[in-house]
Every structure is written in C-alpha cells, then in structure tokens.
Amino acid sequence: MKSIIEEINVIKEKDPAAKNTLDVIFNYPGFHAILIYRFAHFLYKKGFFVIARIISTIARFLTGIEIHPGAKIGKRLFIDHGMGIVIGETAEVGDDVTIFHGVTLGGTGKDKGKRHPTVGNNVIISAGVKVLGPIKIGDNSKIGANAVVLKDVPSNCTVVGIPGRIVKRDGVKVDEKL
C-alpha cells in the first residue's frame, strides 16, 4: 500500500494537471501500467513467466505502455502521458525517474543476456527518445526529446541529438560525442 501511495504522490507532485488522488487513480495510464507491471513482475520472479507476460500484454492493450515483466523498475517512476513507451526484459530503471511518451528502452538485436539499458536514479527521458542496447545512463542525467542514445551516458549530463551527444556536463555547457 505504501508504494501505491508513493506512486500517486509522485504523479501529483510532478504533473500540475493532476488535480487530486481520484484523478490520478482513474485517469493516469502511467499509474495503471506501473501497478499492473508490479503484479506481473512479482509473478515473473516466482517463475510464472507466461501468466506474467499475458498480464503485461493486457496492460499494453489497456494503457499503450509496454513494460516487460522481467524489467527491474525502481521506486516512484513517473510516466507522463505514456503512449508508446516500451521497456524491455533486461532493462533496469532506477528510483525517481521520469519517462515521457514514445520512449523505448530497448535492445539492438545484437546482444545476448543483458540486452537493454540500465537507467540510473533521478533521470529524465524526454518524449520520443530511443535508448538502445546494454548501456548505462548515469544518475541525474537528462535525455532530450527524440535523441537516440547508443553509448553510455555519464552522471549529471544532458544529451541531445541523433546520435546522442553531451551538451551539458555537471552544469557546464559542452559539446562532446558519446
């Protein structure tokens, strides 16, 4: 129950359009997707892989958000709008992360085992971003809209573009290739 309240409160805190708790409970597909993911993930960890996948498929149908039940997601994930988000099986998402619509945390099709990104704590991933492969996004980083990130991003950086490049590191403007 405590984690559900945390999920509701993070939405109310980060989204000025969230009017109250009932608004979040009934009108936020990101909230629904996270709740269903947590149940499916529980089943997945217990070895009920097919049932967990069926539940995640139903969640995708209902919310437009696809979170594989094998993914590891930290506390207080804020999914804003959410339509078209894909989070792959071996993805890991830290605490206090914000993800906007159209984001893919996916694989490249070239890797075995760990195939999806690891996202640190307090990261913002803007609309349309594609983060692909078993790479790491460091804590407190921001990924700008529609960026394509194929290499590790250090902590405290802002990344934009295709391919992604660092435009801010530790609060200082830079222009660095990843």
Side-chain angles (χ1 to χ4, degrees):
M1 188 66 169
K2 180 183 174 191
S3 65
I4 293 172
I5 293 168
E6 277 186 329
E7 299 292 353
I8 291 169
N9 287 338
V10 76
I11 293 169
K12 288 170 33 180
E13 174 188 317
K14 291 187 176 184
D15 188 351
K19 304 299 182 207
N20 56 49
T21 299
L22 284 177
D23 186 24
V24 172
I25 291 170
F26 289 108
N27 298 316
Y28 278 75
F31 174 69
H32 305 145
I34 292 166
L35 286 184
I36 297 168
Y37 154 79
R38 299 236 187 259
F39 178 62
H41 181 68
F42 170 80
L43 293 173
Y44 192 85
K45 289 192 315 185
K46 296 288 185 190
F48 297 104
F49 304 119
V50 174
I51 294 170
R53 290 296 306 274
I54 290 168
I55 291 168
S56 70
T57 299
I58 292 167
R60 180 183 63 190
F61 176 77
L62 293 173
T63 67
I65 299 165
E66 180 176 343
I67 306 173
H68 192 287
K72 296 176 184 167
I73 296 181
K75 298 175 186 172
R76 298 175 299 277
L77 172 63
F78 175 48
I79 295 176
D80 199 4
H81 301 290
M83 184 59 76
I85 288 175
V86 176
I87 300 176
E89 178 182 23
T90 63
E92 299 174 47
V93 178
D95 297 338
D96 303 303
V97 171
T98 297
I99 299 177
F100 290 88
H101 56 283
V103 166
T104 298
L105 302 179
T108 63
K110 299 176 184 177
D111 301 293
K112 304 285 185 217
K114 174 75 167 139
R115 306 179 309 279
H116 303 96
T118 298
V119 177
N121 298 319
N122 198 40
V123 172
I124 297 173
I125 304 176
S126 300
V129 168
K130 308 303 176 229
V131 183
L132 305 175
I135 63 173
K136 294 183 180 175
I137 306 299
D139 294 346
N140 308 307
S141 289
K142 299 175 185 175
I143 313 296
N146 294 313
V148 176
V149 182
L150 303 172
K151 296 182 179 175
D152 289 351
V153 174
S155 294
N156 306 306
C157 287
T158 300
V159 173
V160 300
I162 304 171
R165 69 182 192 286
I166 299 171
V167 295
K168 193 179 274 188
R169 182 189 289 262
D170 295 318
V172 177
K173 288 183 180 182
V174 297
D175 189 3
E176 303 173 18
K177 290 183 178 182
L178 286 174

